[in-house]
DNA sequence: GATTAAATGGGAATGATTGTCAATAAGCCT
DNA sequence: AGGCTTATTGACAATCATTCCCATTTAATC
């Protein structure tokens, strides 16, 4: 169905993502790609990020202002500890949390239980500024 | 500073919120209020919901589509177990989680630690449909 | 009732995201 | 290599929640 052609645009987007440590908005990714010489349509960036998210190649979070942000992600379920000042994002895993969340759902008669968790704060570097 | 006048618009919005059990978008609140006879501007609804959120009179969550949703809230910090089908929202508290989240932040050198957590699933009623 | 600043409303403006569709090009076949 | 098929692209229009603007209204005070 999805024959997944490897276009230069897709490569450029992946490259831009690889060069970034933390979450960036689609618009920022678009700007980054175009800075590198290529000229890629905004629609294309959105389409690819969405596809990559669905393929679980990138992580997506919705920021406090409702803007979606993306980042290449390691495999497996995890959460983030994000600095609200500089955007530094550290991956967090917590087996206990996973179990607890599922149990809460079950206790209330829910099925197909999923959860999202974001921890935020000010990182050490930003605090000393 | 904020003299907080008790306008009939604000009353109507509070009334609409009181009549709803679960999270509703600003647009839905607006529709609800206008159904009850009053004619209130959309800007006013947004302004008041934002103020009420800042005053911690209402809970706000950002849905998966980036739309903000509001609900009158009981006091204190808590999370929600939400049915993705019907919108049923159950308040959850978990001391262990709070402690864990804060500890994760501290372990990584963060300060001013906050967190958001949403658990979702299909509630019993929706499952049997 | 008069005064005054807070609050309203509605229409325009913003800004992210999605839709459209003709033009382009990746991968396959020979 | 050349041709074919169809996934993919890109420029622009369209959508939609939310915010902005500002003249008008009105709650609270005296």
């Amino acid at each position: 169905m999805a024959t997944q052609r490897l276009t230069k645009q897709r490569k450029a987007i992946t490259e831009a993502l690889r060069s970034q440590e933390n979450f960036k908005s689609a618009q920022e990714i678009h700007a980054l790609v175009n800075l590198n010489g290529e000229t890629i349509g905004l629609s294309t960036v959105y389409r690819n990020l969405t596809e990559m998210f669905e393929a679980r190649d990138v992580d997506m979070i919705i920021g406090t202002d409702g803007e979606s942000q993306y980042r290449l992600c390691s495999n497996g379920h995890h959460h983030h500890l994000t600095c609200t000042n500089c955007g530094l994002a550290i991956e967090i895993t917590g087996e206990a949390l996973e179990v607890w969340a599922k149990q809460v759902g079950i206790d209330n008669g829910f099925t197909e239980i999923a959860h999202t968790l974001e921890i935020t704060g000010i990182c050490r570097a930003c605090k000393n500024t």
Side-chain angles (χ1 to χ4, degrees), chain A:
Chain A
M1 182 153 281
T3 319
Q4 278 297 63
R5 290 178 182 172
L6 186 58
T7 64
K8 70 175 181 229
Q9 288 87 345
R10 191 162 302 169
K11 275 185 215 158
I13 292 170
T14 304
E15 207 48 50
L17 281 169
R18 230 194 289 276
S19 75
Q20 297 302 312
E21 189 75 355
N22 300 137
F23 286 91
K24 298 289 170 190
S25 70
Q27 313 262 350
E28 286 173 316
I29 302 288
H30 178 242
L32 272 171
V33 169
N34 286 0
L35 266 184
N36 296 347
E38 318 274 351
T39 304
I40 292 185
L42 187 53
S43 317
T44 304
V45 174
Y46 272 103
R47 246 188 323 244
N48 277 290
L49 286 174
T50 302
E51 283 167 12
M52 291 163 101
F53 170 65
E54 283 168 356
R56 296 172 193 283
D57 290 329
V58 302
D59 257 354
M60 183 192 76
I61 60 178
I62 299 183
T64 49
D65 57 351
E67 196 177 10
S68 299
Q69 305 194 279
Y70 303 84
R71 190 178 75 160
L72 278 183
C73 75
S74 58
N75 290 334
H77 177 82
H78 58 261
H79 302 286
H80 300 102
L81 170 60
T82 310
C83 175
T84 52
N85 188 241
C86 68
L88 170 69
I90 298 172
E91 292 192 357
I92 301 292
T93 58
E95 190 57 32
L97 164 78
E98 311 299 322
V99 174
W100 175 80
K102 176 153 278 187
Q103 190 60 51
V104 166
I106 292 172
D107 289 348
N108 286 277
F110 277 56
T111 49
E112 294 182 42
I113 300 155
H115 65 274
T116 62
L117 168 74
E118 296 297 328
I119 308 179
T120 58
I122 304 293
C123 73
R124 207 187 320 259
C126 286
K127 189 189 174 186
N128 303 329
T129 307

